[in-house]
Amino acid sequence: MNRNTKLRCKNCGQKETLENVKQSMNTKILIAQVPRVREKDGLDIYPLLCLKCNYVTEWASDPLNESKKAVDGVEYFKKFKLNKKYRAYFNPYKEDLVNRGYTKSETIKYSIGWFFIIVGLIAFFN
């Protein structure tokens, strides 16, 4: 799966790239590595938690759109409010957010932002 693939919450529509979900401390979406397997075809279906609305959306990678239901290489299934079972799955990922840093694209974006702030302050005080 491409790191620029965007995952989205089926409840509120929050979108994040896979790179941000896996590496950024600013992500609003978490993925638990506890797939359930669909018996008829062996498809691994993963839960994602939206930290913005506290809903879980089940999804599976489908880059070739074999199901004819994929959106940007991802097939989405049911959504539901975070429950006790899934809370236990996602707690370690929530706690790990403080140990993450910025992704490369975030570092560049924030560096450019700070550059303009510093240039603006220098111009203002001169």
Side-chain angles (χ1 to χ4, degrees), residues 30-55:
L30 298 176
I31 300 172
Q33 296 298 319
V34 287
R36 70 177 173 87
V37 178
R38 187 164 62 184
E39 291 182 20
K40 71 177 184 179
D41 58 5
L43 185 67
D44 289 335
I45 301 172
Y46 293 90
L48 72 80
L49 171 65
C50 178
L51 299 173
K52 194 172 174 184
C53 67
N54 234 20
Y55 266 75

Side-chain angles (χ1 to χ4, degrees), residues 63-81:
L64 302 176
N65 196 14
E66 293 174 14
S67 67
K68 307 294 185 239
K69 298 176 186 175
V71 176
D72 297 326
V74 179
E75 182 178 352
Y76 295 97
F77 301 95
K78 63 184 177 180
K79 68 173 182 175
F80 51 90
K81 188 80 171 153

Side-chain angles (χ1 to χ4, degrees), residues 6 12 23 37 42 46 55-56 66 71 74 97 99 101-102 106-107 110 117:
K6 286 199 176 192
C12 71
Q23 298 173 354
V37 178
Y46 293 90
Y55 266 75
V56 175
E66 293 174 14
V71 176
V74 179
L97 283 175
N99 297 326
Y102 294 125
E106 287 174 327
T107 302
Y110 296 135
I117 290 170

Side-chain angles (χ1 to χ4, degrees), residues 23-27 30 51 91-102:
Q23 298 173 354
S24 174
M25 68 180 184
N26 293 326
T27 187
L30 298 176
L51 299 173
N91 277 341
Y93 296 99
K94 280 185 178 180
E95 293 169 5
D96 184 52
L97 283 175
V98 294
N99 297 326
R100 295 180 180 187
Y102 294 125

